[in-house]
Amino acid sequence: MKLSDLKPAPGSKTKAFRRGRGHASGNGKTAGKGHKGQNARSGGGVRLGFEGGQMPLYRRVPKRGFKCINTKNIVALNLRLLENFEDSSIIDFAALKSKGLVSKLRDGIKILGTGDVTKKFTVRANYFSKVAKEKIEAAGGKAEVV
C-alpha cells in the first residue's frame, strides 16, 4: 500500500448541499427556512436555553447547596489504626495501602489524634493534628510532613 492508494471510507465524503439554487434543486426559493419569521431572517434564531418567554428549565429546577471548587479531599486516619504496624517501622502511603487502611491518596493524608501510641515509628503524611504529632513524639517516634 502506498500513500497514493489511500482513499476515504465509502460514504464518508458527501458533496455539500447547496441551498437556494432554484426550484429544480428541491431546496430553492426559501432554502428550507419557510416563509418569514425569526428563523427565516439572517442571524435569526434564539439564544441557547430560550423557551419563547416561558421560564427556562435551568431556572425552573431548584438549586440546593454550594460546591466549593477549591476544597481538598483529604484522607483522615486516627492514631489507633497505626498500632497495627511493627515497632520502629516507617509508615507512609505505600505502607498504609499495603495494610488496606487507604485505597487512594487523593489530596493528602492527615493523621488525627484519636487513640494512643505505644510503639516508636516514623510517620510520613501530608498533615498532622497537633495532638497526633505530640503523641507520636511522646512515644519516641517522628512525625514527618511530606
Side-chain angles (χ1 to χ4, degrees):
M1 180 178 270
K2 299 184 186 103
L3 280 173
S4 59
D5 296 336
L6 292 174
K7 287 181 183 158
S12 67
K13 292 284 190 176
T14 55
K15 204 161 184 184
F17 191 79
R18 300 179 74 220
R19 295 177 178 278
R21 296 298 186 272
H23 293 298
S25 71
N27 214 314
K29 195 184 168 192
T30 55
K33 287 180 170 267
H35 291 278
K36 302 184 183 174
Q38 188 173 14
N39 290 319
R41 315 280 184 209
S42 110
V46 292
R47 68 177 180 272
L48 195 66
F50 185 69
E51 297 180 21
Q54 172 177 297
M55 189 60 68
L57 182 70
Y58 71 90
R59 290 187 63 194
R60 290 197 306 265
V61 175
K63 274 83 179 156
R64 288 210 19 100
F66 170 77
K67 181 87 172 147
C68 181
I69 58 167
N70 298 320
T71 189
K72 285 188 177 181
N73 196 345
I74 295 169
V75 180
L77 287 174
N78 282 310
L79 276 177
R80 67 167 180 256
L81 297 172
L82 304 184
E83 281 294 308
N84 299 336
F85 290 91
E86 292 81 42
D87 197 26
S88 72
S89 62
I90 295 171
I91 302 169
D92 57 354
F93 172 68
L96 292 167
K97 190 168 184 174
S98 66
K99 288 268 188 184
L101 297 173
V102 179
S103 60
K104 286 184 183 172
L105 184 58
R106 295 201 165 91
D107 292 323
I109 296 172
K110 182 168 184 172
I111 307 297
L112 304 176
T114 305
D116 291 315
V117 181
T118 55
K119 299 171 186 166
K120 179 172 104 175
F121 35 63
T122 305
V123 185
R124 293 182 181 146
N126 303 82
Y127 309 97
F128 289 92
S129 72
K130 190 176 170 185
V131 174
K133 196 169 188 174
E134 287 169 2
K135 285 183 179 179
I136 291 168
E137 287 168 355
K142 275 196 262 179
E144 294 178 7
V145 177
V146 180

